[in-house]
Amino acid sequence: MKRTMYLLALIPALLLSPVADAQINPDDLLPVDQAFAMSTDVADDGRHVRIEWEIADGYYLYRHAFKFEATAPGAVLGEPDIPPGKAYSDEFFGDVEIYRGRVSATIPIERRPADGPLALRVAYQGCADLGVCYPPQRIELELPLPAATSASTALPLAEPA
């Protein structure tokens, strides 16, 4: 009986020892803005915005986590153009697409804001090969738009009835 109690007491220690060995030192991880350096560019005609990520070696971004939302009054974004990623079997998300090195998204601006810059919210998420995923990132941006011309005026949301 005493031996059984001793063995039962050892089980948690044996199970937890690999966890202690597998701990990741936070100093080994880049800050999120260095792991996934983001830059933006608005087309000269003001009809689309390009967002690009430079992804550090040993890190990757998930395709399914990209979200783009106009937050400026009156602004409407179109469907983003994002290249296909590399197929990856993720232990948490299942079969997904990821990007390494660099990826960019081109988002059409279907309706310009009523006035002022294009305000938008960009969401993304990535991980390190060390086995740590960063929480989903949500970035608020304000991008100046070139002056509107007759060729770059806003498109109507719907056809008149």
Side-chain angles (χ1 to χ4, degrees):
M1 178 74 164
K2 195 178 223 184
R3 183 175 178 172
T4 303
M5 294 298 280
Y6 175 75
L7 289 174
L8 287 175
L10 272 178
I11 290 174
L14 292 173
L15 291 175
L16 292 177
S17 67
V19 172
D21 291 341
Q23 285 184 349
I24 296 168
N25 183 345
D27 293 336
D28 293 338
L29 297 171
L30 291 173
V32 70
D33 60 338
Q34 289 178 21
F36 315 109
M38 187 175 72
S39 61
T40 60
D41 182 42
V42 176
D44 290 341
D45 64 3
R47 291 186 151 271
H48 67 269
V49 62
R50 184 168 175 250
I51 302 175
E52 183 172 273
W53 287 267
E54 189 74 33
I55 305 165
D57 288 342
Y59 295 81
Y60 57 92
L61 285 174
Y62 290 111
R63 185 177 206 275
H64 71 269
F66 289 130
K67 304 274 187 287
F68 308 95
E69 176 187 0
T71 58
V76 176
L77 300 177
E79 205 51 46
D81 179 20
I82 307 169
K86 179 183 173 191
Y88 183 73
S89 184
D90 186 88
E91 67 179 292
F92 299 108
F93 297 116
D95 292 335
V96 295
E97 292 178 55
I98 63 167
Y99 301 96
R100 293 181 183 274
R102 178 183 303 212
V103 64
S104 65
T106 302
I107 304 107
I109 302 169
E110 292 185 351
R111 182 177 295 267
R112 296 168 65 99
D115 59 5
L118 174 65
L120 61 131
R121 183 176 300 120
V122 177
Y124 63 95
Q125 183 178 17
C127 300
D129 288 336
L130 292 173
V132 173
C133 288
Y134 293 83
Q137 302 297 303
R138 288 174 186 80
I139 308 295
E140 302 284 336
L141 300 173
E142 281 196 7
L143 305 174
L145 293 173
T149 64
S150 60
S152 65
T153 54
L155 301 173
L157 290 176
E159 292 296 317

